[in-house]
PDB file of all heavy atoms in Angstrom:
ATOM      1  N   ARG A 195      36.214  -6.730 -15.939  1.00  0.00           N
ATOM      2  CA  ARG A 195      36.552  -8.226 -16.030  1.00  0.00           C
ATOM      3  C   ARG A 195      36.854  -8.609 -17.380  1.00  0.00           C
ATOM      4  O   ARG A 195      37.725  -9.416 -17.728  1.00  0.00           O
ATOM      5  CB  ARG A 195      35.538  -9.090 -15.321  1.00  0.00           C
ATOM      6  CG  ARG A 195      35.778 -10.581 -15.315  1.00  0.00           C
ATOM      7  CD  ARG A 195      34.436 -11.260 -14.716  1.00  0.00           C
ATOM      8  NE  ARG A 195      34.246 -10.820 -13.329  1.00  0.00           N
ATOM      9  CZ  ARG A 195      33.201 -11.135 -12.850  1.00  0.00           C
ATOM     10  NH1 ARG A 195      32.204 -11.914 -13.343  1.00  0.00           N
ATOM     11  NH2 ARG A 195      32.808 -10.810 -11.605  1.00  0.00           N
ATOM     12  N   LEU A 196      35.964  -8.133 -18.367  1.00  0.00           N
ATOM     13  CA  LEU A 196      36.045  -8.560 -19.641  1.00  0.00           C
ATOM     14  C   LEU A 196      36.837  -7.686 -20.556  1.00  0.00           C
ATOM     15  O   LEU A 196      36.829  -7.842 -21.756  1.00  0.00           O
ATOM     16  CB  LEU A 196      34.629  -8.847 -20.222  1.00  0.00           C
ATOM     17  CG  LEU A 196      33.688  -9.842 -19.416  1.00  0.00           C
ATOM     18  CD1 LEU A 196      32.262  -9.907 -19.964  1.00  0.00           C
ATOM     19  CD2 LEU A 196      34.302 -11.146 -19.417  1.00  0.00           C
ATOM     20  N   ARG A 197      37.199  -6.556 -20.086  1.00  0.00           N
ATOM     21  CA  ARG A 197      37.932  -5.540 -20.788  1.00  0.00           C
ATOM     22  C   ARG A 197      37.048  -5.089 -22.019  1.00  0.00           C
ATOM     23  O   ARG A 197      37.537  -5.072 -23.286  1.00  0.00           O
ATOM     24  CB  ARG A 197      39.178  -6.073 -21.183  1.00  0.00           C
ATOM     25  CG  ARG A 197      40.205  -6.233 -19.988  1.00  0.00           C
ATOM     26  CD  ARG A 197      41.628  -6.505 -20.489  1.00  0.00           C
ATOM     27  NE  ARG A 197      41.735  -7.649 -21.326  1.00  0.00           N
ATOM     28  CZ  ARG A 197      42.790  -8.017 -21.990  1.00  0.00           C
ATOM     29  NH1 ARG A 197      43.904  -7.160 -21.998  1.00  0.00           N
ATOM     30  NH2 ARG A 197      42.891  -9.030 -22.748  1.00  0.00           N
ATOM     31  N   VAL A 198      35.828  -4.718 -21.695  1.00  0.00           N
ATOM     32  CA  VAL A 198      34.971  -4.152 -22.729  1.00  0.00           C
ATOM     33  C   VAL A 198      34.548  -2.839 -22.254  1.00  0.00           C
ATOM     34  O   VAL A 198      34.648  -2.511 -21.166  1.00  0.00           O
ATOM     35  CB  VAL A 198      33.733  -4.952 -23.159  1.00  0.00           C
ATOM     36  CG1 VAL A 198      34.255  -6.421 -23.555  1.00  0.00           C
ATOM     37  CG2 VAL A 198      32.939  -5.215 -21.873  1.00  0.00           C
ATOM     38  N   ASP A 199      33.848  -2.018 -23.296  1.00  0.00           N
ATOM     39  CA  ASP A 199      33.280  -0.824 -22.694  1.00  0.00           C
ATOM     40  C   ASP A 199      31.991  -1.048 -21.937  1.00  0.00           C
ATOM     41  O   ASP A 199      31.428  -2.072 -22.106  1.00  0.00           O
ATOM     42  CB  ASP A 199      33.260   0.271 -23.874  1.00  0.00           C
ATOM     43  CG  ASP A 199      32.248  -0.258 -24.888  1.00  0.00           C
ATOM     44  OD1 ASP A 199      31.120  -0.881 -24.641  1.00  0.00           O
ATOM     45  OD2 ASP A 199      32.517  -0.013 -26.167  1.00  0.00           O
ATOM     46  N   VAL A 200      31.633   0.089 -21.316  1.00  0.00           N
ATOM     47  CA  VAL A 200      30.478  -0.065 -20.372  1.00  0.00           C
ATOM     48  C   VAL A 200      29.119  -0.421 -21.272  1.00  0.00           C
ATOM     49  O   VAL A 200      28.278  -1.180 -20.814  1.00  0.00           O
ATOM     50  CB  VAL A 200      30.233   1.230 -19.687  1.00  0.00           C
ATOM     51  CG1 VAL A 200      28.892   1.147 -18.843  1.00  0.00           C
ATOM     52  CG2 VAL A 200      31.380   1.459 -18.669  1.00  0.00           C
ATOM     53  N   GLY A 201      29.027   0.210 -22.484  1.00  0.00           N
ATOM     54  CA  GLY A 201      27.915  -0.152 -23.303  1.00  0.00           C
ATOM     55  C   GLY A 201      27.814  -1.612 -23.666  1.00  0.00           C
ATOM     56  O   GLY A 201      26.727  -2.182 -23.579  1.00  0.00           O
ATOM     57  N   GLU A 202      28.925  -2.204 -24.087  1.00  0.00           N
ATOM     58  CA  GLU A 202      28.945  -3.531 -24.357  1.00  0.00           C
ATOM     59  C   GLU A 202      28.724  -4.527 -23.162  1.00  0.00           C
ATOM     60  O   GLU A 202      28.034  -5.447 -23.288  1.00  0.00           O
ATOM     61  CB  GLU A 202      30.253  -3.935 -25.037  1.00  0.00           C
ATOM     62  CG  GLU A 202      30.359  -5.375 -25.642  1.00  0.00           C
ATOM     63  CD  GLU A 202      31.632  -5.622 -26.376  1.00  0.00           C
ATOM     64  OE1 GLU A 202      32.455  -4.740 -26.583  1.00  0.00           O
ATOM     65  OE2 GLU A 202      31.787  -6.731 -26.767  1.00  0.00           O
ATOM     66  N   ALA A 203      29.246  -4.027 -22.040  1.00  0.00           N
ATOM     67  CA  ALA A 203      28.962  -4.664 -20.815  1.00  0.00           C
ATOM     68  C   ALA A 203      27.458  -4.814 -20.411  1.00  0.00           C
ATOM     69  O   ALA A 203      27.007  -5.853 -20.063  1.00  0.00           O
ATOM     70  CB  ALA A 203      29.853  -4.164 -19.661  1.00  0.00           C
ATOM     71  N   PHE A 204      26.699  -3.721 -20.687  1.00  0.00           N
ATOM     72  CA  PHE A 204      25.253  -3.659 -20.451  1.00  0.00           C
ATOM     73  C   PHE A 204      24.644  -4.637 -21.321  1.00  0.00           C
ATOM     74  O   PHE A 204      23.682  -5.315 -21.009  1.00  0.00           O
ATOM     75  CB  PHE A 204      24.854  -2.229 -20.554  1.00  0.00           C
ATOM     76  CG  PHE A 204      23.292  -2.129 -20.266  1.00  0.00           C
ATOM     77  CD1 PHE A 204      22.766  -2.715 -19.159  1.00  0.00           C
ATOM     78  CD2 PHE A 204      22.373  -1.443 -21.114  1.00  0.00           C
ATOM     79  CE1 PHE A 204      21.428  -2.544 -18.697  1.00  0.00           C
ATOM     80  CE2 PHE A 204      21.109  -1.339 -20.744  1.00  0.00           C
ATOM     81  CZ  PHE A 204      20.625  -1.919 -19.660  1.00  0.00           C
ATOM     82  N   ALA A 205      25.124  -4.658 -22.731  1.00  0.00           N
ATOM     83  CA  ALA A 205      24.457  -5.514 -23.713  1.00  0.00           C
ATOM     84  C   ALA A 205      24.568  -6.941 -23.276  1.00  0.00           C
ATOM     85  O   ALA A 205      23.691  -7.909 -23.339  1.00  0.00           O
ATOM     86  CB  ALA A 205      24.993  -5.212 -25.095  1.00  0.00           C
ATOM     87  N   LEU A 206      25.843  -7.254 -22.748  1.00  0.00           N
ATOM     88  CA  LEU A 206      26.163  -8.686 -22.355  1.00  0.00           C
ATOM     89  C   LEU A 206      25.319  -9.023 -21.114  1.00  0.00           C
ATOM     90  O   LEU A 206      24.828 -10.131 -20.950  1.00  0.00           O
ATOM     91  CB  LEU A 206      27.686  -8.766 -21.976  1.00  0.00           C
ATOM     92  CG  LEU A 206      28.701  -8.710 -23.244  1.00  0.00           C
ATOM     93  CD1 LEU A 206      29.953  -8.685 -22.753  1.00  0.00           C
ATOM     94  CD2 LEU A 206      28.456 -10.022 -24.005  1.00  0.00           C
ATOM     95  N   LEU A 207      25.148  -8.020 -20.250  1.00  0.00           N
ATOM     96  CA  LEU A 207      24.433  -8.287 -18.992  1.00  0.00           C
ATOM     97  C   LEU A 207      22.957  -8.588 -19.376  1.00  0.00           C
ATOM     98  O   LEU A 207      22.226  -9.608 -18.870  1.00  0.00           O
ATOM     99  CB  LEU A 207      24.452  -7.103 -18.173  1.00  0.00           C
ATOM    100  CG  LEU A 207      23.844  -7.097 -16.742  1.00  0.00           C
ATOM    101  CD1 LEU A 207      24.465  -8.247 -15.990  1.00  0.00           C
ATOM    102  CD2 LEU A 207      23.922  -5.822 -16.007  1.00  0.00           C
ATOM    103  N   ARG A 208      22.351  -7.881 -20.249  1.00  0.00           N
ATOM    104  CA  ARG A 208      20.982  -8.103 -20.698  1.00  0.00           C
ATOM    105  C   ARG A 208      20.776  -9.371 -21.332  1.00  0.00           C
ATOM    106  O   ARG A 208      19.838 -10.255 -21.106  1.00  0.00           O
ATOM    107  CB  ARG A 208      20.581  -6.960 -21.709  1.00  0.00           C
ATOM    108  CG  ARG A 208      20.309  -5.605 -20.973  1.00  0.00           C
ATOM    109  CD  ARG A 208      19.851  -4.570 -21.924  1.00  0.00           C
ATOM    110  NE  ARG A 208      18.521  -4.930 -22.380  1.00  0.00           N
ATOM    111  CZ  ARG A 208      17.894  -4.220 -23.415  1.00  0.00           C
ATOM    112  NH1 ARG A 208      18.597  -3.304 -24.124  1.00  0.00           N
ATOM    113  NH2 ARG A 208      16.616  -4.556 -23.858  1.00  0.00           N
ATOM    114  N   ASP A 209      21.772  -9.708 -22.198  1.00  0.00           N
ATOM    115  CA  ASP A 209      21.705 -10.986 -22.942  1.00  0.00           C
ATOM    116  C   ASP A 209      21.787 -12.209 -21.992  1.00  0.00           C
ATOM    117  O   ASP A 209      21.136 -13.234 -22.074  1.00  0.00           O
ATOM    118  CB  ASP A 209      22.796 -11.130 -24.002  1.00  0.00           C
ATOM    119  CG  ASP A 209      22.602 -10.207 -25.188  1.00  0.00           C
ATOM    120  OD1 ASP A 209      21.448  -9.760 -25.307  1.00  0.00           O
ATOM    121  OD2 ASP A 209      23.612 -10.008 -25.937  1.00  0.00           O
ATOM    122  N   GLY A 210      22.708 -12.045 -21.005  1.00  0.00           N
ATOM    123  CA  GLY A 210      22.860 -13.075 -20.057  1.00  0.00           C
ATOM    124  C   GLY A 210      21.558 -13.278 -19.190  1.00  0.00           C
ATOM    125  O   GLY A 210      21.195 -14.487 -18.848  1.00  0.00           O
ATOM    126  N   ALA A 211      20.904 -12.149 -18.725  1.00  0.00           N
ATOM    127  CA  ALA A 211      19.678 -12.230 -18.054  1.00  0.00           C
ATOM    128  C   ALA A 211      18.602 -13.055 -18.864  1.00  0.00           C
ATOM    129  O   ALA A 211      17.943 -13.863 -18.301  1.00  0.00           O
ATOM    130  CB  ALA A 211      19.263 -10.978 -17.575  1.00  0.00           C
ATOM    131  N   ARG A 212      18.592 -12.628 -20.121  1.00  0.00           N
ATOM    132  CA  ARG A 212      17.474 -13.324 -20.996  1.00  0.00           C
ATOM    133  C   ARG A 212      17.746 -14.786 -21.130  1.00  0.00           C
ATOM    134  O   ARG A 212      16.954 -15.540 -21.173  1.00  0.00           O
ATOM    135  CB  ARG A 212      17.514 -12.695 -22.342  1.00  0.00           C
ATOM    136  CG  ARG A 212      16.833 -11.217 -22.244  1.00  0.00           C
ATOM    137  CD  ARG A 212      17.149 -10.435 -23.611  1.00  0.00           C
ATOM    138  NE  ARG A 212      16.641  -9.129 -23.589  1.00  0.00           N
ATOM    139  CZ  ARG A 212      16.928  -8.191 -24.529  1.00  0.00           C
ATOM    140  NH1 ARG A 212      17.820  -8.547 -25.413  1.00  0.00           N
ATOM    141  NH2 ARG A 212      16.359  -6.992 -24.485  1.00  0.00           N
ATOM    142  N   SER A 213      19.052 -15.128 -21.438  1.00  0.00           N
ATOM    143  CA  SER A 213      19.483 -16.494 -21.595  1.00  0.00           C
ATOM    144  C   SER A 213      19.205 -17.399 -20.443  1.00  0.00           C
ATOM    145  O   SER A 213      18.902 -18.528 -20.510  1.00  0.00           O
ATOM    146  CB  SER A 213      20.830 -16.660 -22.132  1.00  0.00           C
ATOM    147  OG  SER A 213      21.762 -16.209 -21.134  1.00  0.00           O
TER     148      SER A 213
END
Side-chain angles (χ1 to χ4, degrees):
R195 182 187 302 168
L196 303 177
R197 294 192 298 169
V198 297
D199 62 39
V200 174
E202 188 173 355
F204 184 49
L206 290 170
L207 184 62
R208 292 182 67 193
D209 289 343
R212 289 169 181 163
S213 64

